[in-house]
Amino acid sequence: MTSATLNIDLTAVVRNWQALNALTDCETGAVVKASGYGLGAGVVARALARAGARHFFVATAHEGAELRTSIGHGQDIYVFSGHMDGDTTAIEEAGLIPLLNSVDQMLRQVEALPGAPFGIQLDTGMNRLGMEPAEWSAVRDIAIAQKPVLLMSHLACSDTPDHPMNAQQLAQFRTMTDGVDIPRSLAATGGTLLGPAYHFDLTRPGVGLYGGLPFDGAEAVVTLDMPVIQIRDVAVGETVGYSNTWTAKRPSRIATVSGGYADGLIRAIGNGAILYNGDVACPIVGRVSMDLITADVTDAHGIPEVLQLIGPHQGVDALADFADTIGYEILTAFGGRYHRTYTE
Ligand SMILES: *Cc1c(COP(=O)(O)O)cnc(C)c1O
């Protein structure tokens, strides 16, 4: 079975990075965790490094080690999960910068890798990762004496600009870090859009680079073209797919395309998503199955060979809306089965 083609426009990724960079007077990093939001961390990071990005962020030391192999030693790679038990070799050999989340992690770091660079993640209210205010007060002077390279925190509600949590976390971050002469970072994509008060020394956009909300000025990055495996004509009253959820109300032509929920096209997108034959909308009919999707191509021009699920007519966030989820989840769910092509 021929797999669907996921095209990633690296020039659009670079332009999105440049556009976010142009919004600030500080450094702009790039978050490439989860295989670069499903698009390929190594290729994305190499393109951004050529464009001038010097700071990359991943979730785990394992991701960091892989990224180091792809990009070489010119750029910083920070690890959000910090220094976990078992990470020391990867951190040391790949020259990663763990963002330490607790006193336990700090002890592990200074015992295992004395003198090696690290940053500190502070919890300013999200209650997910980072040292709590009380914990930080207790170790702050000792920690700062070890010269961390970055102090960072993460916003819980930055996709909602007028949410009071934003100002509250900003104030907490300032209380915890003002007066300390160490670079600071608070903003991901959403925070970058909140304005200069949130920028500090380094921003960490992820989803905006890949064309996703909340960066509504982003250029689209992804197109997904799905090859048609088979076409059939069905009569009024015939059903399509598992559980007979769709019944033909007119004589209809049905195309079966290669790709399904095992490729991250979760079943819930069937609740409204459309495959496009050029400009002609061919609605998904019947259930999305593991490897296949069926669409009504009665109105298509001729016999389509390929139908487009993600592209100018329907972006990643539009697809996410049908499934009542967010673009991030659609992107990171793309599996390993696609033929990935890159436009440079
Ligand atoms: C994922 C993540 C980011 C990037 O967030 P986006 O919303 O994708 O820009 C930045 N910082 C931290 C701590 C993260 O976990």
Side-chain angles (χ1 to χ4, degrees):
M1 192 193 280
T2 308
S3 57
T5 300
L6 189 68
N7 184 261
I8 294 124
D9 185 346
L10 291 174
T11 63
V13 175
V14 166
R15 283 193 294 266
N16 288 334
W17 183 81
Q18 287 166 335
L20 290 165
N21 187 36
L23 293 176
T24 74
D25 291 327
C26 68
E27 287 265 333
T28 300
V31 179
V32 295
K33 61 192 179 188
S35 297
Y37 289 49
L39 305 184
V43 250
V44 164
R46 283 197 299 272
L48 290 174
R50 283 196 295 276
R54 296 194 289 138
H55 307 276
F56 293 99
F57 293 83
V58 293
T60 67
H62 179 77
E63 286 183 337
E66 264 186 13
L67 183 64
R68 181 61 80 204
T69 310
S70 301
I71 64 171
H73 281 270
Q75 283 78 27
D76 290 340
I77 301 175
Y78 301 82
V79 180
F80 289 136
S81 59
H83 189 153
M84 294 175 67
D85 195 18
D87 284 348
T88 305
T89 308
I91 290 171
E92 184 174 31
E93 288 180 357
L96 309 177
I97 303 175
L99 294 163
L100 307 176
N101 290 297
S102 63
V103 171
D104 278 355
Q105 286 201 342
M106 204 165 83
L107 290 173
R108 185 178 289 132
Q109 172 75 14
V110 297
E111 277 169 21
L113 299 172
F118 67 89
I120 293 176
Q121 180 155 204
L122 301 170
D123 185 77
T124 52
M126 188 173 183
N127 286 313
R128 193 180 67 167
L129 277 181
M131 293 191 200
E132 300 261 327
E135 192 180 11
W136 176 237
S137 312
V139 297
R140 182 176 146 136
D141 293 343
I142 303 165
I144 288 168
Q146 304 284 328
K147 299 211 175 353
V149 298
L150 188 70
L151 300 179
M152 62 152 290
S153 187
H154 192 49
L155 298 168
C157 302
S158 66
D159 58 350
T160 310
D162 54 4
H163 200 296
M165 185 70 165
N166 295 319
Q168 203 175 304
Q169 285 193 268
L170 174 61
Q172 181 64 259
F173 189 56
R174 297 206 74 121
T175 303
M176 291 168 87
T177 61
D178 270 358
V180 179
D181 190 20
I182 292 169
R184 294 185 284 182
S185 175
L186 179 62
T189 302
T192 305
L193 303 172
L194 292 179
Y198 290 83
H199 295 164
F200 295 93
D201 301 294
L202 170 66
T203 58
R204 314 181 306 270
V207 76
L209 305 174
Y210 309 103
L213 291 173
F215 184 25
D216 53 16
E219 272 186 53
V221 168
V222 179
T223 53
L224 178 59
D225 292 305
M226 311 184 72
V228 175
I229 304 169
Q230 198 181 3
I231 300 248
R232 77 189 66 245
D233 292 323
V234 300
V236 172
E238 283 196 80
T239 56
V240 171
Y242 283 122
S243 309
N244 292 2
T245 59
W246 186 82
T247 306
K249 294 195 180 69
R250 59 170 178 171
S252 304
R253 179 161 286 175
I254 302 299
T256 304
V257 300
S258 175
Y261 62 75
D263 304 293
L265 308 175
I266 50 179
R267 288 164 86 245
I269 65 163
N271 185 30
I274 287 173
L275 283 156
Y276 283 89
N277 163 235
D279 289 337
V280 180
C282 304
I284 292 181
V285 296
R287 289 266 160 86
V288 170
S289 49
M290 188 184 297
D291 318 299
L292 301 165
I293 291 176
T294 35
D296 179 353
V297 296
T298 315
D299 300 327
H301 303 298
I303 306 284
E305 289 181 4
V306 174
L307 294 170
Q308 187 166 69
L309 182 64
I310 300 175
H313 295 295
Q314 183 172 259
V316 166
D317 284 289
L319 200 58
D321 279 345
F322 293 120
D324 209 7
T325 182
I326 52 177
Y328 296 74
E329 191 175 9
I330 298 290
L331 286 168
T332 57
F334 291 145
R337 229 165 25 168
Y338 293 114
H339 175 53
R340 282 172 169 72
T341 57
Y342 293 91
T343 308
E344 309 200 37

